[in-house]
Structure formats: C-alpha cells, structure tokens
Amino acid sequence: MAYLLLVGAILFEVSGTISLRLAIDNRRWYTAVAIGYLVSFSMLGLALAQGMPVGIAYGIWAAAGVALTAILSRFLFKDPLTRLMSLGIIFIIGGVLLIELGAPH
C-alpha cells in the first residue's frame, strides 16, 4: 500500500509541476498547481505513515518526479532533453534502485 501511495504522490507532484509551467500563460492553472502539490504531499505523508522510511520515500519521490518532469516537458513544451540529460536520468534511476536495494527489509 505504501508504494501505491508513493506512486500517487509522484504523479500528483509531476502534474503540479507541469501545471506550474502552464500557469505562466494562464493563471487558472495555479489551482491545479495547488491541488497537485497538496495531494502529492498528503500521499507522501500517508506512505510514510504506512512505515516507509523517509529516506527511501523522499528519494524515490524526488528522483522520479525529476525524471518524469524532464521527459514530459520534452514532449509537452519542447524543452531540451539532451543525451547528457538522459544519462543523468539513468543515473537518477540507478541511484534510487541502489537506495531501495540497500534498505533493510
């Protein structure tokens, strides 16, 4: 259950961040920003309440959010996504995996 809450937290955080970019041109998107971040932090808190260690939860949440936002921004806003940036995303994924594998279960 904790991981499902964490996935929800990641998706709402990414939607809040994408909405923040959209709010530059249309202020109505600020409502989606607020909702996205509020739900994201709430779900992250619920994942922690389920017993997920904060280092693992925050690491996965932050890293996945960065990677997904960079990839979506490439397609939605034509933001750059160079090979070096893609390598960085691969390193982020690897780092999260190492944190998860290194945690006692």
Side-chain angles (χ1 to χ4, degrees):
M1 184 63 168
Y3 279 96
L4 289 176
L5 289 165
L6 185 59
V7 168
I10 292 164
L11 295 176
F12 275 97
E13 188 269 332
V14 170
S15 68
T17 303
I18 295 296
S19 297
L20 187 60
R21 170 60 173 80
L22 293 168
I24 292 170
D25 297 324
N26 185 344
R27 301 185 103 190
R28 292 182 198 183
W29 282 99
Y30 281 116
T31 302
V33 173
I35 292 169
Y37 287 133
L38 179 66
V39 173
S40 177
F41 280 110
S42 297
M43 293 183 87
L44 182 59
L46 290 171
L48 294 174
Q50 292 284 319
M52 182 176 281
V54 69
I56 292 172
Y58 183 74
I60 294 170
W61 178 79
V66 168
L68 285 174
T69 301
I71 293 166
L72 285 174
S73 294
R74 169 69 177 121
F75 294 105
L76 295 174
F77 308 119
K78 307 294 186 246
D79 285 355
L81 185 62
T82 65
R83 289 182 189 205
L84 189 57
M85 293 167 75
S86 298
L87 183 61
I89 290 171
I90 291 169
F91 283 145
I92 288 170
I93 293 167
V96 168
L97 286 174
L98 288 174
I99 289 170
E100 176 60 27
L101 292 173
H105 293 282

